[in-house]
Amino acid sequence: YTGKKMVYNVWITDIQQAGDQWVVFAAMNKTGKGTYKNKIIILSDEDPQFTIDSQIKFYGTCTGTHQIQSEEGNDSLPCFELLFTEN
């Protein structure tokens, strides 16, 4: 899917600034217990000004995977470059 433009509705779980880039942690699903499943990464050159625990519709280009460190060890999540969002 690398290079393809895609659109998803996701839940924002965290936002971190890494140098000149913003790393948005998001999930495709939120369970009734408030946990998140099917996590992804969205990269943005500008502060996306999302609110944690809010749902957004975003358009992005798949850039492959992004390596992160979690409590369980190293993990690889699908990664997208943010094109724009829709309310």
Side-chain angles (χ1 to χ4, degrees):
Y1 297 101
T2 300
K4 293 203 180 267
K5 290 178 177 42
M6 301 178 172
V7 58
Y8 291 106
N9 289 309
V10 296
W11 292 91
I12 304 301
T13 60
D14 193 18
I15 303 169
Q16 299 175 8
Q17 188 172 8
D20 292 342
Q21 200 167 47
W22 293 86
V23 181
V24 179
F25 296 82
M28 301 283 187
N29 305 99
K30 183 177 179 181
T31 68
K33 296 179 181 177
T35 58
Y36 297 101
K37 296 175 120 183
N38 303 315
K39 296 178 181 179
I40 65 168
I41 301 288
I42 304 168
L43 302 176
S44 176
D45 292 335
E46 298 177 0
D47 181 355
Q49 301 191 10
F50 298 145
T51 304
I52 304 296
D53 204 36
S54 64
Q55 191 174 30
I56 63 154
K57 182 176 189 176
F58 88 96
Y59 295 76
T61 303
C62 181
T63 59
T65 58
H66 188 84
Q67 302 297 320
I68 63 163
Q69 285 191 329
S70 64
E71 295 172 359
E72 296 84 32
N74 291 334
D75 203 1
S76 180
L77 298 176
C79 186
F80 298 86
E81 186 176 313
L82 180 65
L83 296 174
F84 61 93
T85 61
E86 189 176 298
N87 292 346

Coordinates of all heavy atoms in Angstrom, one line a residue:
Y1 N 0.8 -1.2 0.0 CA 0.0 0.0 0.0 C 0.8 1.3 0.0 O 0.3 2.4 -0.1 CB -0.9 0.0 1.2 CG -1.9 -1.1 1.2 CD1 -1.7 -2.2 2.0 CD2 -3.1 -1.0 0.4 CE1 -2.7 -3.3 2.0 CE2 -4.0 -2.1 0.4 CZ -3.8 -3.2 1.2 OH -4.7 -4.2 1.1
T2 N 2.1 1.1 0.1 CA 3.0 2.3 0.2 C 2.8 3.2 -1.0 O 2.8 2.7 -2.2 CB 4.5 1.9 0.3 OG1 4.6 1.1 1.5 CG2 5.4 3.0 0.3
G3 N 2.6 4.5 -0.8 CA 2.4 5.4 -1.9 C 1.0 5.7 -2.2 O 0.6 6.6 -2.9
K4 N 0.0 4.9 -1.7 CA -1.4 5.0 -2.0 C -2.0 6.0 -1.1 O -1.7 6.1 0.1 CB -2.1 3.7 -1.9 CG -1.7 2.7 -2.9 CD -2.8 1.7 -3.1 CE -2.3 0.7 -4.2 NZ -2.8 1.0 -5.5
K5 N -2.9 6.8 -1.6 CA -3.7 7.8 -0.8 C -4.9 7.1 -0.3 O -5.6 6.3 -1.0 CB -4.1 9.0 -1.7 CG -2.9 9.8 -2.1 CD -3.4 11.0 -3.0 CE -2.3 11.9 -3.4 NZ -1.0 11.3 -3.7
M6 N -5.2 7.3 1.0 CA -6.2 6.6 1.7 C -7.0 7.5 2.6 O -6.5 8.6 3.0 CB -5.6 5.4 2.5 CG -4.9 4.4 1.7 SD -4.2 3.1 2.7 CE -3.6 2.0 1.4
V7 N -8.2 7.1 3.0 CA -9.0 7.9 4.0 C -9.5 7.0 5.1 O -9.9 5.9 4.8 CB -10.2 8.6 3.2 CG1 -11.1 7.6 2.5 CG2 -10.9 9.5 4.2
Y8 N -9.4 7.5 6.3 CA -9.8 6.7 7.5 C -10.5 7.6 8.5 O -10.1 8.7 8.6 CB -8.7 6.0 8.1 CG -8.1 4.9 7.3 CD1 -6.8 5.0 6.7 CD2 -8.7 3.6 7.2 CE1 -6.3 4.0 5.9 CE2 -8.1 2.6 6.4 CZ -6.9 2.8 5.8 OH -6.3 1.8 5.1
N9 N -11.4 7.0 9.3 CA -11.9 7.6 10.5 C -11.1 7.0 11.6 O -11.1 5.8 11.8 CB -13.4 7.3 10.7 CG -14.2 8.1 9.7 OD1 -14.1 9.3 9.6 ND2 -15.1 7.4 9.0
V10 N -10.4 7.8 12.4 CA -9.6 7.3 13.5 C -9.8 8.1 14.8 O -10.3 9.2 14.8 CB -8.1 7.3 13.1 CG1 -7.8 6.5 11.9 CG2 -7.6 8.8 12.9
W11 N -9.4 7.4 15.9 CA -9.4 8.1 17.2 C -8.0 8.5 17.5 O -7.0 7.8 17.3 CB -9.8 7.1 18.3 CG -11.3 6.7 18.2 CD1 -11.8 5.6 17.4 CD2 -12.4 7.3 18.7 NE1 -13.1 5.6 17.6 CE2 -13.5 6.6 18.3 CE3 -12.5 8.5 19.6 CZ2 -14.8 7.0 18.7 CZ3 -13.8 8.8 20.0 CH2 -14.9 8.1 19.6
I12 N -7.8 9.8 18.0 CA -6.5 10.3 18.3 C -6.1 9.9 19.7 O -6.9 10.1 20.7 CB -6.5 11.9 18.2 CG1 -6.9 12.3 16.8 CG2 -5.1 12.4 18.6 CD1 -6.1 11.8 15.7
T13 N -5.0 9.2 19.9 CA -4.6 8.7 21.2 C -3.4 9.4 21.8 O -3.3 9.5 23.0 CB -4.2 7.2 21.1 OG1 -3.1 7.0 20.2 CG2 -5.4 6.4 20.6
D14 N -2.6 10.1 21.0 CA -1.5 10.8 21.5 C -0.9 11.7 20.4 O -1.0 11.3 19.2 CB -0.4 9.9 22.1 CG 0.7 10.6 22.9 OD1 0.4 11.8 23.3 OD2 1.7 10.1 23.1
I15 N -0.2 12.8 20.7 CA 0.5 13.6 19.8 C 1.8 14.0 20.4 O 1.9 14.5 21.5 CB -0.4 14.9 19.4 CG1 -1.8 14.5 18.9 CG2 0.4 15.8 18.4 CD1 -2.7 15.7 18.8
Q16 N 2.9 13.9 19.6 CA 4.2 14.2 20.0 C 4.9 15.0 19.0 O 4.8 14.7 17.8 CB 5.0 13.0 20.4 CG 4.4 12.2 21.5 CD 5.1 10.9 21.8 OE1 6.2 10.6 21.2 NE2 4.6 10.0 22.6
Q17 N 5.7 16.0 19.4 CA 6.6 16.7 18.4 C 7.9 16.0 18.4 O 8.5 15.8 19.4 CB 6.7 18.2 18.8 CG 7.4 18.9 17.7 CD 7.3 20.4 17.9 OE1 6.9 20.9 18.9 NE2 7.8 21.2 16.9
A18 N 8.4 15.7 17.2 CA 9.8 15.1 17.0 C 10.5 16.0 16.0 O 10.4 15.8 14.8 CB 9.6 13.7 16.6
G19 N 11.3 16.9 16.5 CA 12.0 17.8 15.6 C 11.1 18.8 14.9 O 10.2 19.4 15.6
D20 N 11.1 18.8 13.6 CA 10.2 19.6 12.8 C 8.9 18.9 12.4 O 8.1 19.5 11.7 CB 10.9 20.0 11.5 CG 12.1 21.0 11.7 OD1 12.1 21.6 12.8 OD2 13.0 21.1 10.9
Q21 N 8.7 17.7 13.0 CA 7.6 16.9 12.5 C 6.7 16.6 13.8 O 7.2 16.5 14.9 CB 8.1 15.6 11.9 CG 7.0 14.9 11.0 CD 7.7 13.9 10.2 OE1 8.5 13.1 10.7 NE2 7.4 13.9 8.9
W22 N 5.4 16.4 13.5 CA 4.4 16.0 14.5 C 4.1 14.5 14.3 O 3.8 14.1 13.1 CB 3.2 16.9 14.5 CG 3.5 18.3 14.9 CD1 3.9 19.3 14.1 CD2 3.4 18.8 16.2 NE1 4.1 20.4 14.8 CE2 3.8 20.2 16.1 CE3 3.0 18.3 17.4 CZ2 3.8 21.0 17.2 CZ3 3.0 19.1 18.5 CH2 3.4 20.5 18.4
V23 N 4.1 13.7 15.3 CA 3.8 12.3 15.2 C 2.5 12.1 16.0 O 2.4 12.4 17.2 CB 4.9 11.4 15.9 CG1 4.6 10.0 15.8 CG2 6.3 11.7 15.2
V24 N 1.5 11.7 15.2 CA 0.1 11.5 15.8 C -0.1 10.0 15.9 O 0.0 9.3 14.9 CB -0.9 12.2 14.9 CG1 -2.3 11.9 15.5 CG2 -0.7 13.7 14.7
F25 N -0.4 9.6 17.1 CA -0.7 8.2 17.4 C -2.3 8.1 17.3 O -3.0 8.9 18.0 CB -0.2 7.7 18.7 CG 1.3 7.8 18.8 CD1 2.0 8.9 19.1 CD2 2.0 6.6 18.6 CE1 3.4 9.0 19.2 CE2 3.4 6.6 18.7 CZ 4.1 7.8 18.9
A26 N -2.8 7.2 16.5 CA -4.2 7.0 16.3 C -4.6 5.6 16.3 O -3.7 4.7 16.2 CB -4.6 7.8 15.1
A27 N -5.9 5.3 16.4 CA -6.4 3.9 16.3 C -7.7 3.9 15.5 O -8.5 4.8 15.5 CB -6.7 3.4 17.7
M28 N -7.8 2.8 14.8 CA -9.0 2.7 13.9 C -10.3 2.4 14.7 O -11.4 2.7 14.3 CB -8.8 1.5 12.9 CG -7.6 1.6 12.1 SD -7.9 2.8 10.7 CE -6.5 2.6 9.8
N29 N -10.1 1.7 15.9 CA -11.2 1.3 16.7 C -11.1 1.7 18.2 O -9.9 1.6 18.7 CB -11.5 -0.2 16.6 CG -11.6 -0.7 15.2 OD1 -10.6 -1.1 14.6 ND2 -12.8 -0.5 14.6
K30 N -12.2 2.0 18.8 CA -12.2 2.2 20.3 C -13.2 1.3 20.8 O -14.4 1.2 20.4 CB -12.6 3.7 20.6 CG -12.5 4.0 22.0 CD -12.9 5.5 22.2 CE -12.9 5.9 23.7 NZ -13.2 7.3 23.9
T31 N -12.8 0.5 21.8 CA -13.7 -0.5 22.4 C -14.7 0.2 23.4 O -14.4 1.3 23.8 CB -13.0 -1.6 23.1 OG1 -12.3 -1.1 24.3 CG2 -11.9 -2.3 22.2
G32 N -15.7 -0.6 23.8 CA -16.6 -0.1 24.8 C -15.9 0.2 26.2 O -16.4 1.0 27.0
K33 N -14.8 -0.5 26.4 CA -14.1 -0.3 27.6 C -13.1 0.9 27.5 O -12.3 1.1 28.5 CB -13.3 -1.6 28.0 CG -14.2 -2.7 28.3 CD -13.5 -4.0 28.6 CE -14.4 -5.1 28.8 NZ -13.7 -6.4 29.1
G34 N -13.0 1.6 26.4 CA -12.2 2.7 26.2 C -10.7 2.4 25.8 O -9.9 3.3 25.8
T35 N -10.5 1.2 25.4 CA -9.2 0.8 24.9 C -9.2 0.9 23.3 O -10.2 0.9 22.7 CB -8.8 -0.6 25.3 OG1 -9.7 -1.5 24.8 CG2 -8.6 -0.7 26.8
Y36 N -8.0 1.1 22.8 CA -7.9 1.3 21.3 C -7.3 0.1 20.6 O -6.4 -0.6 21.2 CB -7.0 2.5 21.1 CG -7.6 3.8 21.6 CD1 -7.1 4.3 22.8 CD2 -8.6 4.5 20.9 CE1 -7.6 5.5 23.3 CE2 -9.1 5.7 21.4 CZ -8.6 6.2 22.6 OH -9.1 7.3 23.1
K37 N -7.7 -0.2 19.4 CA -7.2 -1.3 18.6 C -6.9 -0.8 17.2 O -7.4 0.2 16.8 CB -8.3 -2.4 18.5 CG -8.7 -3.0 19.8 CD -9.8 -4.0 19.6 CE -9.4 -5.3 20.0 NZ -10.4 -6.3 19.8
N38 N -6.0 -1.6 16.5 CA -5.6 -1.3 15.2 C -5.0 0.1 15.1 O -5.4 1.0 14.4 CB -6.8 -1.4 14.2 CG -7.4 -2.7 14.2 OD1 -6.8 -3.7 14.3 ND2 -8.8 -2.8 14.3
K39 N -3.8 0.2 15.8 CA -3.2 1.5 15.9 C -2.3 1.9 14.6 O -1.9 1.0 14.0 CB -2.2 1.5 17.1 CG -3.0 1.4 18.4 CD -2.1 1.3 19.6 CE -3.0 1.1 20.9 NZ -2.1 1.0 22.1
I40 N -2.2 3.2 14.4 CA -1.5 3.7 13.2 C -0.7 4.9 13.7 O -1.0 5.5 14.7 CB -2.4 4.0 12.0 CG1 -3.3 5.2 12.4 CG2 -3.1 2.8 11.5 CD1 -4.0 5.7 11.1
I41 N 0.2 5.4 12.8 CA 0.9 6.6 13.0 C 0.6 7.6 11.8 O 0.5 7.2 10.7 CB 2.4 6.4 13.0 CG1 2.9 5.4 14.1 CG2 3.2 7.7 13.1 CD1 2.8 6.0 15.5
I42 N 0.4 8.9 12.2 CA 0.1 9.9 11.2 C 1.2 10.9 11.4 O 1.4 11.5 12.5 CB -1.3 10.5 11.3 CG1 -2.4 9.5 11.2 CG2 -1.5 11.6 10.2 CD1 -3.7 10.0 11.6
L43 N 2.0 11.3 10.3 CA 3.0 12.3 10.4 C 2.5 13.6 9.7 O 1.9 13.5 8.7 CB 4.3 11.8 9.7 CG 4.9 10.4 10.2 CD1 6.0 10.0 9.4 CD2 5.3 10.6 11.7
S44 N 2.9 14.7 10.4 CA 2.5 16.0 9.8 C 3.6 17.0 10.0 O 4.3 17.0 11.0 CB 1.2 16.5 10.6 OG 0.9 17.8 10.2
D45 N 3.8 17.8 9.0 CA 4.9 18.9 9.1 C 4.4 20.1 10.0 O 5.2 20.9 10.3 CB 5.3 19.4 7.7 CG 6.0 18.3 7.0 OD1 6.6 17.4 7.6 OD2 6.0 18.3 5.7
E46 N 3.1 20.2 10.2 CA 2.5 21.3 11.0 C 1.7 20.7 12.2 O 1.3 19.5 12.1 CB 1.5 22.1 10.1 CG 2.2 22.7 8.9 CD 1.2 23.5 8.1 OE1 0.0 23.5 8.4 OE2 1.6 24.1 7.1
D47 N 1.6 21.5 13.2 CA 0.8 21.0 14.4 C -0.6 20.8 13.9 O -1.3 21.7 13.5 CB 0.8 22.1 15.5 CG 0.0 21.7 16.7 OD1 -0.6 20.7 16.7 OD2 0.1 22.5 17.7
P48 N -1.1 19.5 14.0 CA -2.4 19.2 13.5 C -3.5 19.7 14.3 O -4.7 19.7 13.9 CB -2.4 17.7 13.4 CG -1.4 17.3 14.4 CD -0.4 18.3 14.4
Q49 N -3.2 20.1 15.6 CA -4.2 20.7 16.5 C -5.4 19.7 16.7 O -6.5 20.2 16.8 CB -4.6 22.1 16.1 CG -3.5 23.0 16.0 CD -3.9 24.4 15.9 OE1 -5.0 24.8 16.0 NE2 -2.9 25.3 15.6
F50 N -5.1 18.4 16.8 CA -6.1 17.4 17.2 C -6.3 17.4 18.7 O -5.4 17.8 19.4 CB -5.7 16.0 16.7 CG -5.6 15.9 15.2 CD1 -4.6 15.1 14.7 CD2 -6.4 16.6 14.3 CE1 -4.4 14.9 13.3 CE2 -6.2 16.5 12.9 CZ -5.2 15.6 12.4
T51 N -7.4 16.9 19.1 CA -7.7 16.7 20.5 C -7.6 15.2 20.8 O -8.2 14.4 20.1 CB -9.1 17.2 20.9 OG1 -9.2 18.6 20.5 CG2 -9.4 17.1 22.3
I52 N -6.9 14.9 21.9 CA -6.7 13.5 22.3 C -8.1 13.0 22.6 O -9.0 13.6 23.2 CB -5.8 13.4 23.6 CG1 -4.5 14.0 23.3 CG2 -5.7 12.0 24.0 CD1 -3.6 13.4 22.3
D53 N -8.3 11.7 22.2 CA -9.6 11.0 22.4 C -10.7 11.5 21.5 O -11.9 11.2 21.8 CB -10.0 11.0 23.9 CG -10.9 9.8 24.2 OD1 -10.7 8.7 23.7 OD2 -11.8 10.0 25.1
S54 N -10.4 12.3 20.5 CA -11.4 12.7 19.6 C -11.3 11.9 18.3 O -10.3 11.3 18.0 CB -11.3 14.2 19.2 OG -10.1 14.4 18.5
Q55 N -12.4 11.8 17.5 CA -12.4 11.1 16.3 C -12.3 12.0 15.1 O -13.0 13.1 15.1 CB -13.7 10.2 16.2 CG -13.6 9.2 15.0 CD -14.8 8.3 15.0 OE1 -15.9 8.6 15.4 NE2 -14.6 7.1 14.5
I56 N -11.5 11.7 14.2 CA -11.3 12.6 13.0 C -11.4 11.7 11.7 O -11.2 10.5 11.8 CB -9.9 13.3 13.0 CG1 -8.8 12.3 12.9 CG2 -9.8 14.2 14.2 CD1 -7.5 12.9 12.3
K57 N -11.6 12.3 10.6 CA -11.5 11.7 9.3 C -10.3 12.3 8.6 O -10.3 13.5 8.5 CB -12.8 11.9 8.5 CG -12.8 11.3 7.1 CD -14.1 11.5 6.4 CE -14.3 10.7 5.2 NZ -15.6 10.9 4.6
F58 N -9.3 11.5 8.3 CA -8.1 12.1 7.6 C -7.8 11.4 6.3 O -8.2 10.2 6.1 CB -6.9 11.9 8.6 CG -6.2 10.7 8.5 CD1 -5.0 10.6 7.7 CD2 -6.6 9.5 9.2 CE1 -4.3 9.4 7.6 CE2 -5.9 8.3 9.1 CZ -4.8 8.3 8.3
Y59 N -7.2 12.2 5.5 CA -6.7 11.7 4.2 C -5.2 11.7 4.2 O -4.6 12.7 4.7 CB -7.2 12.6 3.0 CG -8.7 12.6 2.9 CD1 -9.5 13.3 3.8 CD2 -9.3 11.9 1.8 CE1 -10.9 13.3 3.6 CE2 -10.7 11.9 1.7 CZ -11.4 12.7 2.5 OH -12.8 12.7 2.4
G60 N -4.6 10.6 3.8 CA -3.1 10.5 3.9 C -2.5 9.6 2.9 O -3.2 8.8 2.3
T61 N -1.2 9.7 2.7 CA -0.5 8.8 1.8 C 0.3 7.8 2.7 O 1.0 8.2 3.6 CB 0.6 9.6 1.0 OG1 -0.1 10.7 0.3 CG2 1.3 8.8 0.1
C62 N 0.1 6.5 2.4 CA 0.7 5.5 3.1 C 2.2 5.5 2.9 O 2.6 5.6 1.7 CB 0.2 4.1 2.7 SG 0.9 2.8 3.6
T63 N 3.0 5.6 3.9 CA 4.5 5.7 3.8 C 5.2 4.4 4.2 O 6.4 4.3 4.3 CB 5.1 6.9 4.5 OG1 4.7 6.7 5.9 CG2 4.5 8.2 4.0
G64 N 4.4 3.4 4.5 CA 5.0 2.1 5.0 C 4.7 1.9 6.5 O 3.6 2.1 6.9
T65 N 5.8 1.6 7.2 CA 5.6 1.4 8.6 C 6.6 2.3 9.4 O 7.5 2.8 8.9 CB 6.0 -0.1 9.0 OG1 7.3 -0.4 8.6 CG2 5.0 -1.1 8.4
H66 N 6.2 2.5 10.7 CA 7.0 3.4 11.6 C 7.4 2.5 12.8 O 6.5 1.9 13.4 CB 6.1 4.6 11.9 CG 6.8 5.6 12.7 ND1 7.6 6.6 12.1 CD2 6.9 5.9 14.0 CE1 8.1 7.4 13.0 NE2 7.7 7.0 14.2
Q67 N 8.6 2.5 13.2 CA 9.1 1.8 14.3 C 8.9 2.6 15.6 O 9.3 3.7 15.6 CB 10.6 1.4 14.2 CG 10.9 0.6 12.9 CD 10.3 -0.7 12.9 OE1 10.2 -1.4 13.9 NE2 9.8 -1.1 11.7
I68 N 8.3 2.0 16.6 CA 8.1 2.6 17.9 C 8.5 1.7 19.0 O 8.6 0.4 18.8 CB 6.7 3.1 18.2 CG1 5.7 1.9 18.2 CG2 6.2 4.1 17.1 CD1 4.4 2.2 18.8
Q69 N 8.9 2.2 20.2 CA 9.1 1.4 21.3 C 7.9 1.5 22.3 O 7.5 2.6 22.6 CB 10.4 1.9 22.1 CG 11.7 1.5 21.3 CD 12.9 1.7 22.2 OE1 12.9 2.6 23.0 NE2 13.9 0.9 22.0
S70 N 7.4 0.3 22.7 CA 6.3 0.3 23.6 C 6.7 -0.5 24.8 O 7.8 -1.0 24.9 CB 5.1 -0.3 22.9 OG 5.4 -1.7 22.6
E71 N 5.8 -0.6 25.8 CA 6.1 -1.4 27.0 C 6.4 -2.9 26.6 O 7.1 -3.6 27.4 CB 4.9 -1.3 27.9 CG 4.7 0.1 28.4 CD 3.4 0.2 29.2 OE1 2.6 -0.8 29.4 OE2 3.1 1.3 29.7
E72 N 5.8 -3.4 25.5 CA 6.0 -4.7 25.1 C 7.3 -4.9 24.3 O 7.7 -6.0 23.9 CB 4.8 -5.2 24.3 CG 3.5 -5.3 25.0 CD 2.8 -3.9 25.0 OE1 2.9 -3.2 24.0 OE2 2.1 -3.7 26.0
G73 N 8.0 -3.8 24.0 CA 9.2 -3.9 23.2 C 9.1 -3.1 21.9 O 8.3 -2.1 21.9
N74 N 9.8 -3.4 20.9 CA 9.7 -2.7 19.6 C 8.5 -3.1 18.9 O 8.1 -4.3 18.9 CB 11.0 -2.9 18.8 CG 12.2 -2.3 19.3 OD1 12.1 -1.3 20.1 ND2 13.3 -2.8 19.0
D75 N 7.9 -2.2 18.2 CA 6.6 -2.4 17.4 C 6.7 -1.7 16.1 O 7.4 -0.7 16.0 CB 5.4 -2.0 18.2 CG 4.1 -2.7 17.8 OD1 4.2 -3.6 16.9 OD2 3.1 -2.4 18.4
S76 N 6.0 -2.2 15.1 CA 6.0 -1.6 13.8 C 4.5 -1.3 13.5 O 3.7 -2.2 13.4 CB 6.6 -2.5 12.8 OG 6.5 -1.9 11.5
L77 N 4.2 0.0 13.2 CA 2.8 0.4 13.0 C 2.7 1.0 11.6 O 3.6 1.6 11.1 CB 2.3 1.5 14.0 CG 2.3 1.0 15.4 CD1 1.9 2.2 16.3 CD2 1.3 -0.1 15.7
P78 N 1.5 0.8 10.9 CA 1.3 1.4 9.6 C 1.5 3.0 9.8 O 1.0 3.5 10.8 CB -0.1 1.1 9.3 CG -0.4 -0.1 10.1 CD 0.4 0.0 11.3
C79 N 2.0 3.6 8.8 CA 2.3 5.0 8.9 C 1.8 5.8 7.6 O 1.9 5.3 6.5 CB 3.9 5.2 9.0 SG 4.4 6.9 9.3
F80 N 1.3 7.0 7.9 CA 0.7 7.8 6.9 C 1.2 9.2 7.0 O 1.4 9.7 8.1 CB -0.8 7.8 7.0 CG -1.5 6.5 6.8 CD1 -1.6 5.6 7.9 CD2 -1.9 6.0 5.6 CE1 -2.2 4.4 7.8 CE2 -2.5 4.8 5.5 CZ -2.6 3.9 6.6
E81 N 1.4 9.9 5.8 CA 1.7 11.3 5.8 C 0.4 12.0 5.6 O -0.4 11.8 4.7 CB 2.6 11.6 4.7 CG 3.1 13.0 4.6 CD 4.1 13.3 3.5 OE1 5.0 12.5 3.4 OE2 3.9 14.3 2.8
L82 N 0.1 12.9 6.6 CA -1.2 13.7 6.6 C -1.3 14.6 5.3 O -0.4 15.4 5.1 CB -1.3 14.5 7.8 CG -2.6 15.3 8.0 CD1 -3.8 14.4 8.1 CD2 -2.5 16.2 9.2
L83 N -2.4 14.5 4.6 CA -2.7 15.4 3.5 C -3.7 16.4 4.0 O -3.4 17.6 3.9 CB -3.3 14.6 2.3 CG -2.4 13.6 1.7 CD1 -3.1 12.8 0.6 CD2 -1.2 14.3 1.1
F84 N -4.9 16.0 4.5 CA -5.8 17.0 5.1 C -6.9 16.2 5.9 O -6.9 15.0 5.9 CB -6.5 17.8 4.1 CG -7.3 17.1 3.0 CD1 -8.6 16.9 3.2 CD2 -6.6 16.6 1.9 CE1 -9.3 16.2 2.2 CE2 -7.3 16.0 0.9 CZ -8.7 15.7 1.0
T85 N -7.6 16.9 6.7 CA -8.7 16.3 7.5 C -10.0 16.9 7.1 O -10.1 17.9 6.5 CB -8.5 16.5 9.0 OG1 -8.5 17.9 9.3 CG2 -7.2 15.9 9.5
E86 N -11.1 16.2 7.6 CA -12.4 16.6 7.3 C -13.2 16.5 8.6 O -13.1 15.5 9.3 CB -13.0 15.7 6.2 CG -14.3 16.0 5.6 CD -14.7 15.1 4.5 OE1 -14.0 15.0 3.5 OE2 -15.7 14.4 4.7
N87 N -14.1 17.5 8.9 CA -14.9 17.4 10.1 C -16.2 16.7 9.8 O -16.7 16.7 8.8 CB -15.1 18.8 10.6 CG -13.8 19.5 11.1 OD1 -12.8 18.8 11.3 ND2 -13.9 20.8 11.3

